[in-house]
């Protein structure tokens, strides 16, 4: 019996490189996925709508994007229960 490795999606690859501390530039995303830059920007737009993308200028002048760390805030219901 052979085991098959599950295929990694391009969206998962981009999410993984955006999760790095230094994030990723558009050329890095394009190289990793084979997507055109406009496709990478469209993917970033979807993440922006969810409010989970940060944009920053690197010291070399390139624009990099990364996924914002998730901040775990207690919900108002949890806060009431804790009292």
């Amino acid at each position: 019996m052979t085991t098959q490795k599950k295929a990694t999606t391009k969206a998962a690859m981009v999410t993984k490189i955006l999760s790095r501390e230094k994030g990723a530039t558009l050329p890095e995303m394009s190289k990793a996925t084979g997507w055109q830059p406009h496709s990478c920007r469209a993917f970033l737009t979807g993440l922006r709508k969810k409010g989970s993308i940060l944009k920053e200028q690197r010291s070399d002048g390139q624009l990099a994007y990364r996924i914002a760390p998730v901040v775990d805030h207690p919900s108002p219901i949890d806060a009431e229960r804790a009292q």
Side-chain angles (χ1 to χ4, degrees):
M1 178 179 231
T2 61
T3 58
Q4 293 182 353
K5 187 176 179 182
K6 189 175 179 180
T8 303
T9 65
K10 291 180 180 183
M13 287 190 293
V14 173
T15 302
K16 183 177 178 179
I17 64 173
L18 288 173
S19 297
R20 300 182 303 190
E21 187 175 320
K22 67 177 186 171
T25 62
L26 282 175
E28 290 170 341
M29 287 183 262
S30 292
K31 185 177 179 183
T33 60
W35 287 346
Q36 296 292 319
H38 66 273
S39 298
C40 295
R41 284 191 291 272
F43 184 78
L44 291 171
T45 297
L47 292 177
R48 259 190 227 111
K49 288 182 178 182
K50 293 177 186 177
S52 63
I53 196 80
L54 299 174
K55 182 170 47 171
E56 55 196 27
Q57 194 79 23
R58 287 188 178 169
S59 59
D60 61 1
Q62 290 187 338
L63 192 57
Y65 303 89
R66 65 184 173 90
I67 293 178
V70 177
V71 179
D72 191 21
H73 293 289
S75 70
I77 295 171
D78 292 336
E80 288 178 17
R81 288 181 186 159
Q83 293 179 353

